[in-house]
Amino acid sequence: MSWANPQALWLLGLVPAAVAALWWNAARRRRATRRFGKRATVEPLIAGNAKWWRVTRATLLVVGAALVIVAFAGPQYGSRTRVLRKRGIDIVLTLDFSKSMLARDVHPSRIKRAKGELERLLSDLDGDRVGLVAFAGDAMAFPMTVDYSAVRLFLRDLGPMDMPVGGTAIGKALIASKRLIERSNEGRGDKDGVDRRSKVVILLTDGEDHEGDPIAAAQELKTEGIKVYAVGIGSGSGEPIPSYTADGTLTGHVKDADGRLVMTSLSSENEDTLKEIASITGGRYVRAEEGTVGVTEIRSELAKLQASERKARRVTVHENRFALALLPGFLLILLEALLPEAWIVRRRRRKV
């Protein structure tokens, strides 16, 4: 047997004190009766069984109070295994919206294929909170939600031409993802104030980091227990970057100041950076194969985390048995108040 509130058992120490108080009150009553007159004269005026009724009532009151205290302590015996409500995991989709993501070495383009794969990923989720960080030279964050249709809408409407700052800043994107998770988890910790929900950042990029320190950012995510699953998109040989007008008309390819085509590639150096980010945070790096962006492998990793989360929420619950003490305790106290002796005494007093 165990107790939900064992500290309450100390209140049982009041029971002997209550018994002593009742005994002292009975002794005081006897002394008062003797002072009232001779025993032979006074006893006929008192109900013959009043003494025993008072003893019975006192016993009922003390035992009833003791049972109530035991019930308050929360006796527990027997147990069962229960799965707590599924709380899911936190996922931030951190997608590169730099102009190099317009390259077509992945059909129909890096950015369109990445969006399509992420929409497929969203269709597999159930109860997991999802946020979105879109980045180029700077990052824009959209709040965590379980409304996946809203996330899909953000993905469809955004494009590289909508980013206010050009370039690619992976470090800024990781920090923005970390802050998004922190804000969404404020006040959501367990009983000890610690949030043990699994937290994941899915980083999809061609790896061309033009500013910042992504390795230092990865160290910050590690301290918060956030895993980064990085997906490297693009070919190693290089691909020209399409150029579009504001209305989406293709005008050719991006060229540098000397008129030469600007090529984009997922170089070995860029891959090494993404691998290190994933390694530092305990995540995984995936190289997008031809025609895909590698989200399929990430989906299997998320499935493992989701299964682990459900297993972690399986707890042993002790059966509460306080009602077995509370009900008889309440009935004994109620019976004590309704015993005829109290009614007889009050009736005699009214007649006098």
Side-chain angles (χ1 to χ4, degrees), residues 73-148:
Q76 299 175 327
Y77 65 87
S79 62
R80 57 189 173 87
T81 300
R82 183 164 69 94
V83 178
L84 299 183
R85 182 179 61 85
K86 180 182 175 182
R87 64 181 180 186
I89 61 179
D90 284 347
I91 304 171
V92 176
L93 307 177
T94 306
L95 181 56
D96 187 347
F97 277 84
S98 62
K99 290 183 174 58
S100 61
M101 290 290 288
L102 294 170
R104 297 179 175 179
D105 49 356
V106 176
H107 181 76
S109 69
R110 296 176 182 177
I111 188 66
K112 288 183 179 179
R113 189 53 185 264
K115 288 182 178 183
E117 291 290 335
L118 288 178
E119 289 198 26
R120 285 182 58 200
L121 173 65
L122 290 172
S123 66
D124 291 342
L125 302 181
D126 179 21
D128 304 298
R129 292 191 300 172
V130 178
L132 177 64
V133 170
F135 73 97
D138 205 349
M140 296 189 302
F142 299 88
M144 304 285 289
T145 180
V146 292
D147 184 358
Y148 304 142

Side-chain angles (χ1 to χ4, degrees), residues 90-94 129 131 133 141-142 144 174-186 188 195 197-202 221 224-227:
D90 284 347
I91 304 171
V92 176
L93 307 177
T94 306
R129 292 191 300 172
V133 170
F142 299 88
M144 304 285 289
L174 292 176
I175 295 300
S177 302
K178 169 178 169 288
R179 290 173 179 168
L180 179 59
I181 291 175
E182 289 174 340
R183 288 196 301 270
S184 66
N185 283 305
E186 290 178 355
R188 290 177 175 266
D195 182 46
R197 182 193 302 263
S198 296
K199 293 164 278 193
V200 172
V201 171
I202 301 177
L221 268 67
E224 297 297 325
I226 302 173
K227 297 178 183 291

Side-chain angles (χ1 to χ4, degrees), residues 22 25 29 52-65 328-344 346:
L22 291 171
N25 184 60
R29 184 190 294 269
W52 300 110
W53 277 119
R54 284 194 295 270
V55 171
T56 302
R57 290 178 61 205
T59 302
L60 292 175
L61 181 62
V62 170
V63 174
F330 172 76
L331 292 177
L332 289 177
I333 293 174
L334 181 62
L335 179 61
E336 183 275 335
L338 297 177
L339 278 178
E341 190 271 341
W343 176 74
I344 292 171
R346 293 190 188 105

